[in-house]
Amino acid sequence: AQTVTQSQPEMSVQEAETVTLSCTYDTSENNYYLFWYKQPPSRQMILVIRQEAYKQQNATENRFSVNFQKAAKSFSLKISDSQLGDTAMYFCAFMKQGDDKIIFGKGTRLHILP
Amino acid sequence: GAGVSQTPSNKVTEKGKYVELRCDPISGHTALYWYRQSLGQGPEFLIYFQGTGAADDSGLPNDRFFAVRPEGSVSTLKIQRTERGDSAVYLCASSLYHPMNTEAFFGQGTRLTVV
């Protein structure tokens, strides 16, 4: 069975700083997808970034980028120039290719301080 | 609507009662998912619909939980004989086909509290 582990329950950084959220996963699959979701107090899960395991190049979306280390089964999220609106829960997630269910970690609560 | 809509936003019910949670997906989205998010946890998969049929219901915890999508759009998650352990946020998501082809969009969830 696949598992996703987020070792940082909570983090705080000053506005405009860079922050990195950690995620490791365990799977015997070779083809899969990894995601980072943001969940603000509104409870709506918002896709931040996704990575296909077959791609060596790390995904980037504006201020958000990932460091995908397939051999180490590590998938960290870097947020550059953090903004107050980035305050939220962040979930790392995994999906096996061809499957229909996303497996989420327990989340990291991120506070951006003014 | 522009996004996935879930009603009610909050629901308080007494132990042993029956509840229904509704999900209106984005128009045209054939795939629909239900997840349950307990306090302090990430969402856990419950069931996946492709059109009207439940393609994967392996996440439903027991036979008190049931979901339908009779016309391939709106879905209802039904919970019989509710227990305090059922208290959680129930999230619905939809996508055009499979989430690997297109992004899955989530609603804001229904917070169910069983007292």
Side-chain angles (χ1 to χ4, degrees):
Chain A
Q2 290 82 18
T3 58
V4 177
T5 302
Q6 294 179 250
S7 59
Q8 304 151 312
E10 196 160 0
M11 297 181 72
S12 297
V13 295
Q14 295 293 134
E15 191 178 7
E17 290 185 347
T18 294
V19 59
T20 298
L21 279 58
S22 302
C23 173
T24 58
Y25 58 95
D26 188 25
T27 185
S28 58
E29 301 291 330
N30 191 49
N31 298 314
Y32 52 86
Y33 304 85
L34 296 164
F35 311 88
W36 278 98
Y37 279 89
K38 172 184 178 181
Q39 188 178 41
S42 68
R43 300 196 303 242
Q44 186 174 18
M45 300 287 283
I46 301 165
L47 180 65
V48 174
I49 199 165
R50 84 179 211 178
Q51 174 83 40
E52 289 85 352
Y54 66 85
K55 290 186 177 179
Q56 291 187 330
Q57 187 171 6
N58 289 324
T60 63
E61 286 288 341
N62 301 313
R63 298 182 295 107
F64 299 88
S65 62
V66 297
N67 183 4
F68 173 47
Q69 301 291 325
K70 191 172 184 180
K73 296 180 183 174
S74 170
F75 184 62
S76 62
L77 173 70
K78 185 171 83 170
I79 306 174
S80 303
D81 185 27
S82 57
Q83 302 175 357
L84 297 178
D86 296 333
T87 292
M89 284 290 292
Y90 286 82
F91 292 94
C92 180
F94 169 99
M95 177 182 277
K96 184 174 70 172
Q97 186 176 357
D99 204 354
D100 48 57
K101 57 180 74 72
I102 302 173
I103 298 168
F104 289 86
K106 290 189 175 183
T108 295
R109 185 176 300 278
L110 177 64
H111 302 274
I112 308 299
L113 307 173
Chain B
V4 177
S5 175
Q6 291 188 248
T7 53
S9 180
N10 294 282
K11 174 73 176 177
V12 180
T13 190
E14 292 181 346
K15 179 175 177 296
K17 298 288 188 183
Y18 167 83
V19 296
E20 290 189 351
L21 312 180
R22 177 187 169 105
C23 173
D24 272 281
I26 293 172
S27 178
H29 281 193
T30 58
L32 185 145
Y33 313 80
W34 284 99
Y35 285 80
R36 177 169 72 173
Q37 185 175 17
S38 300
L39 191 63
Q41 304 292 318
E44 294 178 308
F45 171 82
L46 294 176
I47 187 169
Y48 159 61
F49 287 90
Q50 183 58 258
T52 60
D56 183 351
D57 64 357
S58 62
L60 294 178
N62 52 59
D63 61 6
R64 295 187 297 106
F65 288 74
F66 189 69
V68 296
R69 195 185 184 198
E71 297 179 358
S73 55
V74 171
S75 176
T76 305
L77 179 65
K78 308 180 181 195
I79 310 174
Q80 297 177 323
R81 304 183 302 280
T82 51
E83 299 177 358
R84 293 197 177 87
D86 298 335
S87 296
V89 173
Y90 289 82
L91 295 167
C92 176
S94 71
S95 68
L96 268 177
Y97 302 109
H98 189 279
M100 291 306 96
N101 295 329
T102 59
E103 178 182 346
F105 293 86
F106 283 80
Q108 293 184 319
T110 294
R111 182 181 299 281
L112 175 66
T113 303
V114 182
V115 297

